[in-house]
Amino acid sequence: MEIKKILFCDNDLWSLLNFRGHVFTRLYQNGYSVALVAPRPNNDMVLSKIPDGVKYYPIDIDRCGKSVYNDLKYMRQLYRIYKQERPDYIFHYTIKPNIYGTIAAKSLGIPCTNMVAGLGYVFNDGGILSKLIIALYRFSMRKADKVMCLNSENRDTLLRKGFCKSENMILLEGGEGVDTSLFHSDVVPISDSGETVFLFVGRLLVDKGVRILVDAVRLLKQQNTYNFKCCAIGPIDLSYPGHVGAEEVKRYEEQGIMEYWGQTDCISKVLNQSNIVVVIPSYYFEGMNRSLMEACAMGKPIITTDIAGCRELVDSGKNGFTVPPRDPEALADAMKKYLQLTTEQKREFSVHSREKAERVFDINKVFTVYDKILEEASK
C-alpha cells in the first residue's frame, strides 16, 4: 500500500498545531496530502496557523463531557469525514479521538496510530462512568495498529492493564520533541542583576499545581529576604474540571502573589528574557510536559514535581530541582535553594538545560519515528 494521504485528529486545534505542527508540516512538504480534524477554536488567530495546502475539518466535541449521546454524535462526524477524505493513514491524539476515531477508522479499514499524550483525569476519577470509559479505551486501543506514549511509566501502565501488545507500543523517550533551532535564546539567560522570575507556563489548572505554587510563594514572601516575583502565562481552560478561574487569578494579582501574563502563541519570545526559572508543580497525569521541554531548549532552569512526564526533564542539581507533588513547603524550599545559588551556578543550570534539550528532546528523533510507522504501514 502506497501512503499518499494522512489525517491527524485531535481534541484541540491549538494543541494539534503547537505540539504536532512540525510533524505534519514536514510530511506535507515531503509530498503527502495532509488533513486535520479538530474543534473550531474560539480564537481565529489559531486558524491562521494552519499551513497553506493543509486541509482542515472543524468538528464538534465535548472534550471533558461524559454524555454518551454527544460522544456517539462525535463518532458519527468522524466516520463521515474519514469516509469522505479516505486517508491512507490516521494519527489520533488524546482520549476521545483515540477511542472514537479508532472505531471509525477500523470500520472503514483505515490503519491508525494512537498517541497517549497523558493518562488524563479519567484515570484518576475512579467513578463507574470513568471505568466504563477506560474499558472502551482499552477496546479501541487494541484495535490500533500502533500506540505511542511519552514516558515509561505510562507505557508500563498501558501494557500491564492490557491496552495494547508490547510489539505495537512505541515509546517516544524525548516526548514529542522540540525544534531546538527555533527554541533557543539569544540573550544572557542569567544576568548579574535583576529579580528572579518564577514563571508558570501552561493551562491554569488545579492539578497542574497553580494553587501549590501560590502557597509556596506565600511561604517564601513571608521571609522577605529574596528578590523575586511569580508570574503565570497560559489559557484559563473552563472546559476542564478543576480549572483555576479568572476571578481566582485576579485575587492572586490583587494580593501581590502572582502576575498573570495572559496567553501567547509564541512562548519563545516570553522565555527569551533573563532570569526566568520555569516552575510547574504538576500532579496531573502528564505524558511529557511540553512547557518544560521548551524551557530546557531556551536554556531555562526548571523546578517541577517528581512524577512521570516531569521528572525526566530534570537532572537534579544540574539544571533544576524536583519536589514531591502537592507539597508547597518543599516547593518553597526548592525555590529558595535556587535563589541562594551564585550567579555562576545559575548560569551552569541554564547551560545544562540547553544541552539536555539538544541531546534528548530534538524534534528530528520524532520525525524518524513517524517515518518508520509510515514505512512499515506501506509494506
Side-chain angles (χ1 to χ4, degrees), residues 209 212-213 216 279 281 303-304 323-324 327-336:
I212 300 298
L213 177 57
V279 183
I303 301 174
T304 188
V323 298
D327 191 337
E329 290 83 6
L331 180 58
D333 287 343
M335 295 162 72
K336 179 179 177 181

Side-chain angles (χ1 to χ4, degrees), residues 7-13 15-16 20 36-39 57 59-65 70-72 74-79 82 90-106 110-118 122 133 136-137 139-141 143-144 146:
L7 188 145
F8 292 77
C9 179
D10 205 332
N11 73 354
D12 179 72
L13 181 61
S15 297
L16 186 55
R20 293 109 209 177
L36 312 179
V37 176
Y57 291 92
I59 191 170
D60 296 325
I61 180 175
D62 187 359
R63 288 172 53 205
C64 300
N70 288 338
D71 287 352
L72 290 176
Y74 172 65
M75 185 170 67
R76 286 195 295 269
Q77 292 178 81
L78 290 178
Y79 180 87
Y82 293 0
I90 301 175
F91 290 96
H92 297 115
Y93 304 87
T94 69
I95 291 179
K96 289 192 177 183
N98 284 344
I99 293 175
Y100 302 110
T102 301
I103 294 173
K106 288 304 174 178
I110 303 171
C112 65
T113 286
N114 293 350
M115 175 179 282
V116 180
V122 172
I133 294 173
L136 187 58
Y137 202 11
F139 169 79
S140 61
M141 294 291 274
K143 299 292 184 182
K146 298 289 183 182

